[in-house]
Amino acid sequence: MLTLALTLGAALAQEHGHQDPGHTHDAEEEHRFADVEKWSAVFDDPARDAWQKPAELVATLHIAAGATVADIGAGTGYFEPYLAKAVGPTGHVVAIDVEPTLVDHLAKRATAEGLTQVEARLGKPEDPGLKPAEADVVLLVDTYHHVSDRVAWFGRLKGATRPGGRLVIVDFDPASSDEHGPPRDHRIPADQVLKELDQAGWTLVDRPTLLTAQYVLVLTPKP
Ligand SMILES: C[S@@+](CC[C@H](N)C(=O)[O-])C[C@H]1O[C@@H](n2cnc3c(N)ncnc32)[C@H](O)[C@@H]1O
């Protein structure tokens, strides 16, 4: 059995071991996150809270009560309790992942934790998995580099946001001296993310600096 000794940094190093930032969605990528027990130990490691600061991160996004938030690449559901609290009982959290075992886990976890506003949804690699104008906020944490053909994918995502909608990208900063995260040469610089998202039709509106290991980029669709 895999133990908690597998830290997020080590696991992400392993995860990043064979890919470049512009990799395509190949057979090896398929089902990389199928092992729920393994990835729960990594993503839900209580030690993560100290540097990931999930409550502060969600608070800094000023998500309105009743809003719809999409967490794309939701994994084991680490952020769902925080997002569910932010949107409140009348809001909606759409937790999307391409891995069926994780989506099953997300649904069971939401039920077990009484998070009635969380919907677990199976996505497809080439499709953000949202309906037109469904989301007020779309969050991707440590998932950006998994998306293939990113300019087209994020271009399609614009249609899923409501007027005033925001896209939030959180990922490991190659310029950070923080020890958490994958090797520096496997991280995508924020400038590259912003360049690709500019091509996809998104513009930066905020860049909160509360995390030391990761950048937080908040964007809206260009008019
Ligand atoms: C490194 S994990 C991050 C999990 C979670 N966001 C967290 O911070 O704990 C990346 C997740 O993205 C999922 N994923 C990869 N490509 C995806 C895509 N195109 N659409 C949705 N999810 C995707 C993987 O299955 C995996 O669960």
Side-chain angles (χ1 to χ4, degrees):
M1 187 175 85
L2 204 104
T3 69
L4 285 169
L6 182 64
T7 64
L8 184 61
L12 289 172
Q14 179 193 77
E15 181 213 324
H16 285 245
H18 72 285
Q19 68 189 35
D20 65 89
H23 76 287
T24 54
H25 198 91
D26 57 18
E28 202 175 341
E29 171 82 3
E30 206 82 43
H31 304 307
R32 180 179 293 174
F33 294 97
D35 187 337
V36 172
E37 187 183 358
K38 168 181 173 176
W39 293 108
S40 291
V42 175
F43 298 147
D44 299 308
D45 181 351
R48 181 180 178 185
D49 296 356
W51 57 269
Q52 186 67 81
K53 303 182 184 174
E56 293 94 323
L57 177 58
V58 170
T60 206
L61 300 178
H62 301 292
I63 295 167
T68 293
V69 178
D71 181 11
I72 302 185
T76 55
Y78 175 79
F79 274 98
E80 273 42 60
Y82 304 96
L83 296 173
K85 192 173 173 197
V87 301
T90 60
H92 190 194
V93 177
V94 187
I96 300 175
D97 207 284
V98 291
E99 190 55 68
T101 53
L102 288 182
V103 175
D104 186 48
H105 173 74
L106 283 163
K108 287 182 178 142
R109 182 174 174 177
T111 301
E113 296 181 8
L115 304 178
T116 52
Q117 62 278 66
V118 174
E119 175 197 349
R121 190 180 291 179
L122 184 63
K124 295 184 193 135
E126 67 283 1
D127 180 354
L130 290 165
K131 298 169 197 148
E134 186 175 13
D136 297 290
V137 177
V138 178
L139 175 68
L140 280 88
V141 181
D142 306 341
T143 298
Y144 186 84
H145 64 280
H146 289 291
V147 176
S148 302
D149 199 3
R150 287 193 284 266
V151 173
W153 193 97
F154 281 96
R156 285 195 284 280
L157 182 64
K158 283 183 294 180
T161 54
R162 295 178 179 157
R166 291 173 289 158
L167 165 65
V168 183
I169 305 288
V170 180
D171 228 306
F172 290 98
D173 186 352
S176 168
S177 58
D178 192 300
E179 84 239 28
H180 299 99
R184 278 177 180 66
D185 59 349
H186 291 140
R187 304 175 184 191
I188 303 185
D191 284 354
Q192 183 183 334
V193 175
L194 290 173
K195 193 173 164 196
E196 292 173 357
L197 291 179
D198 177 68
Q199 288 167 19
W202 294 88
T203 189
L204 184 71
V205 291
D206 195 13
R207 195 167 177 167
T209 55
L210 75 164
L211 303 180
T212 52
Q214 295 171 310
Y215 47 78
V216 180
L217 308 173
V218 183
L219 305 101
T220 54
K222 289 184 194 172

